[in-house]
Amino acid sequence: KSGVSTYTLVRMAQRLGFNSFDALRDPFRHALVSTSQMNDVPDWIEGMRKESPTGRVQADAAANALGVVQRSLEGQSVDQMQRVVDMLLSARNVYLTAVRSSYGLAYYFHYVGRMALPSLQLIPRHMNSAIDELNEADENDVLIAITFMPYSRETVEACKFAQKRGVKLIILSDSDVISSEFTPEENLIASAVSTHHFGCYSGAMSVLETLLAVLFQAGGGDAKRRIKAYEDLRNGQNAYWSIKKKH
């Protein structure tokens, strides 16, 4: 449609830093398929939609969430998930950063993931910046960054700083291209299409849950022992509420 030759498009892709025109086209192709549409809408959603105006809003949100999860999980390849897990397990330190709405995802992943991955560290800590925490990081370390449109300046700056130090980058986002100033080793893409003003993170959470499952499997007996140690500690500190039996 632009009226230029294929060779021109190939040269443009190379000038922009891509290996081929297909590599340039992939992010746009992914954006087109990262919708929340489902092929088969469950009957319970259609029934909800007919109940009331609130039911229509609730049905749209439910269908969107299911679609987002489906699209996000479809996009995860087994080979890439294995590469990510191998990278995490072989790292000296695994730093994890996110801010604002993405922080909840990072907090949960850290809370659970440290039982399989003791090297996992959620940054920033103690009111510092993520860059402060990365001051001594190098090529032996990995940074996991979580950010979705609109992308956080703090997270982008942390990624740029980390890569200059040789730190390997793993990005969880809704796009292959966040900034031209750094190139992640691995991109985990999750759809964040929403029926309201802010992004829907159901897809991102499903990707993180998948990564946790693979991490725990790879952790084997050591991971199981750490889980038991945490559970014993919490039970010993009465961390969980329970109903007292009446005599």
Side-chain angles (χ1 to χ4, degrees):
K1 288 183 179 180
S2 63
V4 299
S5 67
T6 302
Y7 180 66
T8 299
L9 294 175
V10 171
R11 287 187 61 192
M12 179 185 72
Q14 293 173 342
R15 181 64 63 88
L16 291 173
F18 293 91
N19 293 327
S20 65
F21 178 69
D22 285 340
L24 169 65
R25 185 173 57 179
D26 278 346
F28 299 96
R29 179 182 294 162
H30 180 82
L32 289 173
V33 300
S34 293
T35 66
S36 59
Q37 295 179 359
M38 299 179 62
N39 294 328
D40 298 311
V41 178
D43 291 339
W44 62 269
I45 289 183
E46 291 302 331
M48 183 184 295
R49 191 186 308 280
K50 297 175 183 177
E51 289 187 22
S52 67
T54 299
R56 287 195 295 273
V57 175
Q58 187 174 343
D60 288 343
N64 178 80
L66 291 174
V68 161
V69 169
Q70 178 177 316
R71 294 296 186 188
S72 298
L73 294 179
E74 283 177 348
Q76 308 307 313
S77 75
V78 176
D79 289 343
Q80 182 183 43
M81 195 63 67
Q82 187 63 60
R83 291 195 305 269
V84 168
V85 169
D86 290 344
M87 192 184 303
L88 297 179
L89 292 176
S90 63
R92 178 183 59 187
N93 296 299
V94 177
Y95 300 100
L96 171 64
T97 192
V99 297
R100 284 179 281 282
S101 58
S102 298
Y103 182 81
L105 295 168
Y107 181 88
Y108 172 75
F109 185 79
H110 175 258
Y111 180 78
V112 178
R114 62 184 177 158
M115 299 182 205
L117 194 66
S119 59
L120 188 59
Q121 304 177 42
L122 181 60
I123 60 172
R125 296 167 292 191
H126 310 304
M127 301 306 292
N128 293 330
S129 72
I131 289 178
D132 289 337
E133 309 285 358
L134 292 167
N135 189 44
E136 297 184 4
D138 59 28
E139 64 276 1
N140 297 304
D141 304 315
V142 170
L143 172 64
I144 305 174
I146 304 175
T147 185
F148 290 83
M149 179 71 75
Y151 306 118
S152 165
R153 180 189 59 78
E154 296 99 315
T155 303
V156 170
E157 293 291 343
C159 290
K160 290 164 52 180
F161 179 85
Q163 192 155 73
K164 288 180 181 178
R165 292 296 182 95
V167 177
K168 300 177 183 67
L169 289 179
I170 299 172
I171 306 293
L172 173 61
S173 184
D174 54 352
S175 173
D176 284 309
V177 182
I178 298 174
S179 170
S180 61
E181 297 182 69
F182 63 87
T183 304
E185 273 70 23
E186 299 291 346
N187 277 301
L188 298 174
I189 306 301
S191 175
V193 177
S194 173
T195 59
H196 53 80
H197 180 73
F198 299 95
C200 175
Y201 288 159
S202 302
M205 182 60 80
S206 69
V207 173
L208 290 176
E209 290 286 5
T210 301
L211 179 55
L212 284 171
V214 180
L215 269 174
F216 276 111
Q217 187 277 330
D222 289 340
K224 291 180 181 179
R225 282 188 287 273
R226 280 190 290 270
I227 292 172
K228 185 178 185 307
Y230 274 110
E231 287 298 318
D232 290 345
L233 177 65
R234 290 164 185 162
N235 288 328
Q237 297 296 318
N238 293 318
Y240 303 119
W241 181 82
S242 61
I243 299 175
K244 295 181 179 179
K245 294 183 179 179
K246 294 181 180 181
H247 298 285

